[in-house]
Coordinates of all heavy atoms in Angstrom, one line a residue:
M1 N 58.4 56.1 -56.8 CA 58.4 55.8 -55.5 C 58.6 54.3 -55.3 O 57.8 53.6 -55.9 CB 57.1 56.3 -54.8 CG 57.2 56.5 -53.5 SD 55.8 57.6 -53.0 CE 55.4 56.9 -51.4
T2 N 59.4 53.9 -54.5 CA 59.6 52.4 -54.4 C 59.3 52.1 -52.9 O 59.2 52.8 -52.1 CB 61.1 52.1 -54.7 OG1 61.9 52.8 -53.8 CG2 61.4 52.4 -56.1
G3 N 59.3 50.8 -52.7 CA 59.1 50.3 -51.3 C 57.7 49.8 -51.2 O 56.9 50.1 -52.0
R4 N 57.4 49.2 -50.1 CA 56.0 48.6 -49.8 C 55.2 49.7 -49.2 O 55.7 50.5 -48.4 CB 56.2 47.4 -48.8 CG 56.9 46.2 -49.3 CD 56.9 45.1 -48.3 NE 57.3 45.7 -47.0 CZ 56.8 45.0 -45.9 NH1 56.1 44.1 -45.9 NH2 57.2 45.5 -44.6
K5 N 53.9 49.6 -49.5 CA 52.9 50.5 -48.8 C 52.5 49.8 -47.6 O 52.3 48.6 -47.5 CB 51.7 50.7 -49.7 CG 52.1 51.5 -50.9 CD 50.8 51.8 -51.7 CE 51.0 52.6 -52.9 NZ 49.8 52.9 -53.6
P6 N 52.5 50.5 -46.4 CA 52.0 49.9 -45.1 C 50.5 49.5 -45.2 O 49.8 50.2 -46.0 CB 52.1 51.0 -44.1 CG 52.1 52.2 -44.9 CD 52.7 52.0 -46.3
A7 N 50.2 48.5 -44.6 CA 48.7 48.1 -44.5 C 48.0 49.2 -43.9 O 48.5 49.8 -43.0 CB 48.6 46.7 -43.8
L8 N 46.7 49.3 -44.2 CA 45.9 50.2 -43.7 C 45.8 50.1 -42.0 O 45.6 51.2 -41.4 CB 44.6 50.2 -44.3 CG 44.5 50.8 -45.7 CD1 43.0 50.6 -46.3 CD2 45.0 52.1 -45.9
D9 N 45.8 49.0 -41.7 CA 45.7 48.7 -40.2 C 47.0 48.7 -39.4 O 47.0 48.4 -38.2 CB 44.9 47.4 -39.9 CG 45.3 46.2 -40.4 OD1 46.5 46.3 -41.2 OD2 44.9 45.1 -40.2
T10 N 48.1 48.9 -40.1 CA 49.3 49.0 -39.5 C 49.5 50.2 -38.5 O 49.2 51.3 -39.1 CB 50.5 48.9 -40.5 OG1 50.4 47.8 -41.3 CG2 51.8 49.0 -39.9
P11 N 49.9 50.0 -37.3 CA 50.1 51.2 -36.4 C 51.2 52.2 -37.0 O 52.1 51.6 -37.5 CB 50.3 50.6 -35.1 CG 50.0 49.3 -35.2 CD 50.1 48.8 -36.7
I12 N 50.9 53.4 -36.8 CA 51.9 54.5 -37.2 C 52.8 54.7 -36.0 O 52.2 55.1 -35.0 CB 51.3 55.7 -37.8 CG1 50.4 55.4 -38.9 CG2 52.3 56.7 -38.1 CD1 49.6 56.6 -39.3
P13 N 54.0 54.5 -36.1 CA 54.8 54.8 -34.8 C 54.8 56.3 -34.5 O 54.6 57.1 -35.3 CB 56.2 54.3 -35.2 CG 56.0 53.4 -36.3 CD 54.8 53.8 -37.1
N14 N 54.8 56.5 -33.1 CA 54.7 57.9 -32.8 C 55.5 58.2 -31.5 O 55.9 57.3 -30.8 CB 53.3 58.3 -32.6 CG 52.6 57.6 -31.4 OD1 53.0 57.9 -30.3 ND2 51.7 56.6 -31.6
R15 N 55.6 59.5 -31.2 CA 56.5 59.9 -30.0 C 55.6 60.6 -29.0 O 56.0 61.3 -28.2 CB 57.5 61.0 -30.5 CG 58.4 60.4 -31.5 CD 59.4 61.5 -32.0 NE 60.0 62.3 -30.9 CZ 60.2 63.6 -30.9 NH1 59.8 64.3 -32.0 NH2 60.7 64.3 -29.9
I16 N 54.2 60.3 -29.0 CA 53.3 60.9 -28.2 C 53.6 60.7 -26.7 O 53.6 61.8 -26.0 CB 51.8 60.5 -28.4 CG1 51.4 60.8 -29.9 CG2 50.8 61.0 -27.4 CD1 50.1 60.2 -30.4
A17 N 53.9 59.6 -26.2 CA 54.3 59.4 -24.8 C 55.4 60.2 -24.4 O 55.4 60.9 -23.3 CB 54.5 57.9 -24.6
E18 N 56.5 60.1 -25.2 CA 57.7 61.0 -25.0 C 57.4 62.5 -24.8 O 57.8 63.1 -23.9 CB 58.7 60.7 -26.1 CG 59.9 61.6 -26.0 CD 60.7 61.6 -27.3 OE1 60.6 60.6 -28.1 OE2 61.5 62.6 -27.5
L19 N 56.7 62.9 -25.8 CA 56.4 64.3 -25.9 C 55.4 64.8 -24.7 O 55.6 65.9 -24.1 CB 55.7 64.8 -27.2 CG 56.6 64.6 -28.4 CD1 55.8 64.7 -29.7 CD2 57.8 65.6 -28.3
R20 N 54.4 64.0 -24.4 CA 53.5 64.2 -23.4 C 54.3 64.3 -22.0 O 54.1 65.2 -21.2 CB 52.4 63.1 -23.2 CG 51.5 63.3 -22.1 CD 50.5 62.2 -22.0 NE 51.0 60.8 -21.9 CZ 51.6 60.3 -20.9 NH1 51.6 61.0 -19.7 NH2 52.0 59.0 -20.8
E21 N 55.2 63.3 -21.7 CA 56.0 63.3 -20.4 C 56.7 64.5 -20.4 O 57.0 65.1 -19.3 CB 56.7 62.0 -20.3 CG 55.8 60.8 -20.1 CD 56.5 59.5 -20.2 OE1 57.8 59.4 -20.3 OE2 55.8 58.5 -20.2
R22 N 57.5 64.8 -21.5 CA 58.3 66.0 -21.6 C 57.6 67.3 -21.3 O 58.2 68.3 -20.6 CB 59.1 66.1 -23.0 CG 60.1 67.2 -23.0 CD 60.8 67.3 -24.3 NE 61.3 66.0 -24.7 CZ 61.8 65.8 -26.0 NH1 61.7 66.7 -26.9 NH2 62.4 64.6 -26.3
A23 N 56.3 67.4 -21.6 CA 55.5 68.5 -21.4 C 54.9 68.5 -20.0 O 54.3 69.5 -19.6 CB 54.3 68.6 -22.4
G24 N 55.2 67.4 -19.3 CA 54.6 67.3 -17.9 C 53.1 67.1 -17.9 O 52.5 67.5 -16.9
L25 N 52.6 66.4 -18.9 CA 51.2 66.2 -18.9 C 50.7 64.8 -18.6 O 51.5 63.9 -19.1 CB 50.6 66.6 -20.4 CG 50.7 68.0 -20.8 CD1 50.4 68.1 -22.3 CD2 50.0 68.8 -20.0
S26 N 49.6 64.6 -18.1 CA 49.1 63.2 -17.8 C 48.4 62.9 -19.1 O 48.0 63.7 -19.9 CB 48.2 63.2 -16.6 OG 47.0 64.0 -16.9
R27 N 47.9 61.7 -19.2 CA 47.1 61.2 -20.5 C 45.8 62.0 -20.3 O 45.2 62.4 -21.4 CB 46.9 59.8 -20.3 CG 48.1 59.0 -20.8 CD 47.9 57.4 -20.8 NE 49.0 56.8 -21.3 CZ 49.1 55.5 -21.2 NH1 48.2 54.8 -20.7 NH2 50.2 54.9 -21.6
V28 N 45.2 62.1 -19.2 CA 43.9 62.9 -19.0 C 44.1 64.3 -19.4 O 43.2 64.8 -20.2 CB 43.4 62.7 -17.4 CG1 42.3 63.6 -17.2 CG2 43.2 61.2 -17.1
E29 N 45.1 65.0 -19.0 CA 45.4 66.4 -19.4 C 45.5 66.5 -20.9 O 44.9 67.4 -21.5 CB 46.6 66.9 -18.6 CG 46.4 67.1 -17.2 CD 47.7 67.4 -16.5 OE1 48.7 66.9 -16.8 OE2 47.6 68.2 -15.4
L30 N 46.3 65.6 -21.5 CA 46.5 65.7 -22.9 C 45.2 65.4 -23.7 O 44.8 66.1 -24.6 CB 47.6 64.8 -23.4 CG 47.8 64.8 -24.9 CD1 48.2 66.1 -25.4 CD2 49.0 63.7 -25.3
A31 N 44.4 64.4 -23.2 CA 43.2 64.1 -23.8 C 42.2 65.3 -23.8 O 41.5 65.6 -24.7 CB 42.5 62.9 -23.1
Q32 N 42.1 66.0 -22.7 CA 41.3 67.2 -22.5 C 41.7 68.2 -23.4 O 40.9 68.9 -24.1 CB 41.3 67.7 -21.1 CG 40.7 66.8 -20.1 CD 40.8 67.2 -18.6 OE1 41.7 67.9 -18.3 NE2 39.9 66.6 -17.7
R33 N 42.9 68.5 -23.7 CA 43.4 69.6 -24.4 C 43.1 69.2 -25.9 O 43.0 70.2 -26.8 CB 45.0 69.7 -24.3 CG 45.2 70.3 -22.9 CD 46.7 70.6 -22.7 NE 47.0 71.1 -21.4 CZ 48.1 71.8 -21.1 NH1 49.1 72.0 -22.1 NH2 48.2 72.2 -19.9
V34 N 43.2 68.0 -26.3 CA 42.9 67.7 -27.8 C 41.5 67.1 -28.0 O 41.2 66.8 -29.2 CB 44.0 66.6 -28.4 CG1 45.3 67.3 -28.3 CG2 44.0 65.4 -27.6
G35 N 40.6 67.0 -26.9 CA 39.3 66.7 -27.1 C 38.9 65.2 -27.4 O 38.1 64.9 -28.2
V36 N 39.7 64.4 -26.8 CA 39.4 62.9 -27.0 C 39.4 62.3 -25.5 O 39.8 62.9 -24.4 CB 40.5 62.2 -27.7 CG1 40.5 62.7 -29.1 CG2 41.9 62.2 -27.1
N37 N 38.9 61.1 -25.4 CA 38.9 60.2 -24.2 C 40.3 59.9 -23.8 O 41.1 59.7 -24.7 CB 38.1 59.0 -24.6 CG 37.8 58.1 -23.3 OD1 38.8 57.7 -22.7 ND2 36.6 58.0 -23.0
P38 N 40.7 59.9 -22.5 CA 42.0 59.5 -22.1 C 42.5 58.1 -22.7 O 43.6 57.8 -22.8 CB 42.0 59.5 -20.6 CG 40.9 60.5 -20.3 CD 39.8 60.4 -21.4
Q39 N 41.5 57.2 -22.8 CA 41.9 56.0 -23.3 C 42.4 56.0 -24.7 O 43.3 55.2 -25.1 CB 40.6 55.0 -23.4 CG 40.2 54.6 -22.0 CD 38.9 53.6 -22.0 OE1 38.0 54.0 -22.8 NE2 38.9 52.6 -21.3
T40 N 41.9 56.9 -25.5 CA 42.4 57.1 -26.8 C 43.8 57.5 -26.9 O 44.7 57.0 -27.7 CB 41.6 58.3 -27.6 OG1 40.2 57.9 -27.6 CG2 42.1 58.6 -29.0
I41 N 44.3 58.4 -25.9 CA 45.8 58.7 -25.8 C 46.6 57.4 -25.5 O 47.6 57.1 -26.1 CB 46.0 59.8 -24.7 CG1 45.2 61.0 -25.0 CG2 47.5 60.1 -24.5 CD1 45.6 61.7 -26.4
G42 N 46.1 56.6 -24.5 CA 46.7 55.3 -24.2 C 46.8 54.4 -25.4 O 48.0 53.8 -25.8
Y43 N 45.7 54.2 -26.2 CA 45.7 53.5 -27.3 C 46.8 54.1 -28.4 O 47.4 53.2 -29.1 CB 44.4 53.4 -28.1 CG 43.3 52.8 -27.3 CD1 42.1 53.2 -27.3 CD2 43.6 51.6 -26.6 CE1 41.0 52.5 -26.6 CE2 42.6 50.8 -26.0 CZ 41.3 51.3 -26.0 OH 40.3 50.7 -25.3
L44 N 46.8 55.3 -28.6 CA 47.8 55.9 -29.5 C 49.2 55.5 -29.0 O 50.1 55.2 -29.8 CB 47.6 57.4 -29.5 CG 46.3 57.9 -30.4 CD1 46.1 59.3 -30.1 CD2 46.6 57.6 -31.8
E45 N 49.5 55.8 -27.8 CA 50.9 55.6 -27.2 C 51.3 54.2 -27.4 O 52.5 54.0 -27.6 CB 50.9 56.1 -25.7 CG 50.8 57.5 -25.6 CD 50.9 58.1 -24.1 OE1 50.8 57.1 -23.2 OE2 50.9 59.2 -23.9
R46 N 50.4 53.3 -27.2 CA 50.9 51.8 -27.4 C 50.8 51.3 -28.8 O 51.0 50.2 -29.1 CB 49.9 51.0 -26.5 CG 50.0 51.2 -25.0 CD 49.1 50.2 -24.3 NE 47.7 50.3 -24.5 CZ 46.9 51.1 -23.9 NH1 47.2 51.9 -23.0 NH2 45.6 51.0 -24.3
G47 N 50.4 52.2 -29.8 CA 50.4 51.9 -31.2 C 49.2 51.0 -31.4 O 49.2 50.1 -32.4
E48 N 48.1 51.0 -30.7 CA 47.0 50.2 -31.0 C 45.8 50.9 -31.8 O 44.8 50.3 -32.0 CB 46.3 49.7 -29.6 CG 47.3 48.9 -28.8 CD 46.8 48.6 -27.4 OE1 45.6 49.0 -27.0 OE2 47.5 48.0 -26.6
Y49 N 46.1 52.2 -32.1 CA 45.2 53.1 -32.8 C 45.8 54.1 -33.6 O 46.8 54.7 -33.2 CB 44.2 53.7 -31.7 CG 43.1 54.7 -32.2 CD1 42.1 54.2 -32.9 CD2 43.4 56.0 -32.0 CE1 41.1 55.2 -33.3 CE2 42.5 57.0 -32.4 CZ 41.4 56.5 -33.1 OH 40.4 57.4 -33.6
N50 N 45.4 54.2 -34.9 CA 45.8 55.3 -35.7 C 44.9 56.5 -35.6 O 43.7 56.4 -35.7 CB 45.9 54.9 -37.1 CG 47.1 53.9 -37.3 OD1 48.2 54.1 -36.7 ND2 47.0 53.0 -38.2
P51 N 45.5 57.7 -35.4 CA 44.6 58.9 -35.2 C 44.1 59.4 -36.6 O 44.5 59.0 -37.6 CB 45.5 59.9 -34.7 CG 46.9 59.6 -35.4 CD 46.9 58.1 -35.4
S52 N 42.8 60.0 -36.5 CA 42.4 60.6 -37.6 C 43.2 61.8 -37.9 O 44.1 62.2 -37.1 CB 41.0 61.3 -37.3 OG 41.0 62.3 -36.3
L53 N 43.2 62.3 -39.1 CA 43.9 63.5 -39.5 C 43.6 64.7 -38.6 O 44.6 65.4 -38.4 CB 43.7 63.8 -41.0 CG 44.5 64.9 -41.7 CD1 46.0 64.5 -41.5 CD2 44.2 65.0 -43.1
V54 N 42.5 64.9 -38.3 CA 42.1 66.0 -37.4 C 42.7 65.8 -36.1 O 43.3 66.9 -35.5 CB 40.5 66.0 -37.3 CG1 40.1 67.1 -36.1 CG2 39.8 66.4 -38.5
L55 N 42.7 64.6 -35.5 CA 43.4 64.5 -34.3 C 44.9 64.7 -34.3 O 45.6 65.2 -33.5 CB 43.1 63.1 -33.6 CG 43.7 62.8 -32.3 CD1 43.6 63.8 -31.2 CD2 43.2 61.3 -31.9
A56 N 45.5 64.2 -35.4 CA 46.9 64.4 -35.6 C 47.3 65.7 -35.7 O 48.3 66.2 -35.0 CB 47.3 63.6 -37.0
F57 N 46.5 66.7 -36.2 CA 46.7 68.1 -36.4 C 46.5 68.7 -34.9 O 47.3 69.6 -34.6 CB 45.9 68.7 -37.4 CG 46.4 68.8 -38.8 CD1 45.9 68.0 -39.7 CD2 47.5 69.5 -39.0 CE1 46.5 68.0 -41.0 CE2 48.1 69.6 -40.4 CZ 47.5 68.7 -41.3
R58 N 45.6 68.2 -34.1 CA 45.4 68.8 -32.8 C 46.6 68.4 -32.0 O 47.1 69.3 -31.2 CB 44.2 68.1 -32.2 CG 42.8 68.8 -32.7 CD 41.7 68.1 -32.1 NE 40.4 68.5 -32.6 CZ 39.4 67.8 -32.5 NH1 39.3 66.8 -31.6 NH2 38.3 68.1 -33.1
L59 N 47.2 67.2 -32.1 CA 48.3 66.8 -31.4 C 49.5 67.7 -31.7 O 50.4 68.2 -30.9 CB 48.6 65.3 -31.6 CG 47.6 64.4 -30.9 CD1 47.7 63.0 -31.4 CD2 47.8 64.4 -29.3
A60 N 49.7 67.9 -33.1 CA 50.8 68.7 -33.5 C 50.6 70.2 -33.0 O 51.6 70.7 -32.6 CB 50.8 68.7 -35.1
D61 N 49.5 70.7 -33.0 CA 49.3 72.0 -32.5 C 49.6 72.0 -30.9 O 50.2 73.0 -30.4 CB 47.8 72.4 -32.7 CG 47.6 72.8 -34.1 OD1 48.5 73.0 -34.9 OD2 46.3 72.9 -34.4
Q62 N 49.2 71.1 -30.2 CA 49.4 70.9 -28.8 C 50.9 70.9 -28.5 O 51.4 71.7 -27.6 CB 48.8 69.7 -28.2 CG 49.1 69.5 -26.7 CD 48.6 70.6 -25.9 OE1 47.6 71.1 -25.9 NE2 49.4 71.0 -24.9
F63 N 51.7 70.2 -29.3 CA 53.1 70.0 -29.0 C 53.9 71.1 -29.7 O 55.1 71.2 -29.6 CB 53.6 68.6 -29.3 CG 53.0 67.6 -28.5 CD1 52.4 66.5 -28.9 CD2 53.2 67.7 -27.1 CE1 51.8 65.5 -28.1 CE2 52.7 66.7 -26.1 CZ 52.0 65.7 -26.7
E64 N 53.1 71.9 -30.6 CA 53.8 73.0 -31.4 C 54.8 72.3 -32.3 O 56.0 72.9 -32.3 CB 54.4 74.1 -30.5 CG 53.3 74.8 -29.8 CD 53.7 75.9 -28.9 OE1 55.0 76.0 -28.7 OE2 52.9 76.7 -28.5
L65 N 54.6 71.2 -32.9 CA 55.5 70.5 -33.9 C 54.8 70.1 -35.1 O 53.6 69.9 -35.1 CB 56.0 69.2 -33.2 CG 56.9 69.3 -31.9 CD1 57.1 67.9 -31.3 CD2 58.3 69.9 -32.3
P66 N 55.6 69.9 -36.2 CA 55.0 69.4 -37.4 C 54.6 67.9 -37.1 O 55.1 67.3 -36.3 CB 56.1 69.5 -38.4 CG 57.2 70.2 -37.8 CD 57.0 70.3 -36.3
I67 N 53.6 67.6 -37.8 CA 53.2 66.2 -37.7 C 54.2 65.1 -37.9 O 54.3 64.2 -37.1 CB 51.8 65.9 -38.7 CG1 50.6 66.6 -38.1 CG2 51.6 64.4 -38.7 CD1 49.4 66.5 -39.1
E68 N 55.1 65.6 -38.8 CA 56.2 64.5 -39.1 C 57.1 64.4 -37.9 O 58.0 63.4 -38.0 CB 57.0 65.1 -40.3 CG 56.3 65.2 -41.7 CD 55.5 66.5 -41.7 OE1 55.7 67.4 -40.9 OE2 54.7 66.6 -42.6
E69 N 57.1 65.2 -36.9 CA 58.0 65.1 -35.8 C 57.3 64.3 -34.6 O 57.9 63.9 -33.7 CB 58.5 66.4 -35.3 CG 59.5 67.0 -36.2 CD 60.2 68.3 -35.7 OE1 60.4 68.4 -34.5 OE2 60.5 69.1 -36.5
I70 N 56.0 63.9 -34.8 CA 55.3 63.2 -33.9 C 55.0 61.8 -34.4 O 55.3 60.8 -33.7 CB 53.9 63.8 -33.6 CG1 54.2 65.4 -32.9 CG2 53.1 63.1 -32.6 CD1 52.8 66.1 -32.9
F71 N 54.6 61.7 -35.6 CA 54.5 60.4 -36.2 C 55.5 60.1 -37.3 O 56.0 60.9 -38.0 CB 53.1 60.5 -37.0 CG 51.9 60.7 -36.0 CD1 51.4 62.0 -35.9 CD2 51.3 59.7 -35.4 CE1 50.4 62.2 -34.9 CE2 50.3 59.8 -34.4 CZ 49.8 61.2 -34.2
V72 N 56.1 58.9 -37.1 CA 57.2 58.4 -37.9 C 56.8 57.4 -38.9 O 56.1 56.4 -38.5 CB 58.3 57.8 -37.0 CG1 59.5 57.5 -37.8 CG2 58.6 58.8 -35.8
R73 N 57.2 57.7 -40.1 CA 56.8 56.6 -41.2 C 57.7 55.5 -41.1 O 59.0 55.7 -40.9 CB 56.9 57.3 -42.6 CG 55.8 58.3 -42.8 CD 55.6 58.7 -44.1 NE 56.6 58.7 -45.1 CZ 56.4 59.1 -46.4 NH1 55.2 59.7 -46.7 NH2 57.4 59.1 -47.3
G74 N 57.1 54.3 -41.1 CA 58.0 53.1 -40.9 C 58.7 52.6 -42.0 O 59.4 52.6 -42.8

């Protein structure tokens, strides 16, 4: 395996805002569905926070997509 490893604090790019809007959900609605504070959704969408593995799976379940289609490796 070659290439650089991302720093632990490097944000993981994601498609959460796009998928949320496509589903017609507000940040509050998505937050309620995945069990987090609406601010957390905002932080994720802006790339200011990396989700836990549990939250990543909840988001994948919500959007009915594999995690790899929500979070993009840089």
Side-chain angles (χ1 to χ4, degrees):
M1 200 163 148
T2 61
R4 294 183 315 151
K5 290 184 180 179
L8 293 177
D9 59 351
T10 301
I12 300 170
N14 67 72
R15 300 176 49 219
I16 296 171
E18 170 195 343
L19 295 168
R20 177 181 57 76
E21 290 171 8
R22 189 180 300 169
L25 297 171
S26 69
R27 286 181 178 167
V28 171
E29 291 169 322
L30 179 57
Q32 289 172 342
R33 290 181 181 201
V34 297
V36 296
N37 186 299
Q39 288 178 318
T40 301
I41 300 299
Y43 293 142
L44 287 167
E45 290 181 350
R46 291 188 302 273
E48 297 174 1
Y49 174 74
N50 286 328
S52 68
L53 188 55
V54 171
L55 179 52
F57 274 108
R58 287 183 190 160
L59 289 163
D61 289 344
Q62 174 61 45
F63 294 121
E64 298 179 345
L65 292 170
I67 289 176
E68 298 84 13
E69 290 189 33
I70 298 171
F71 298 93
V72 183
R73 294 192 334 179

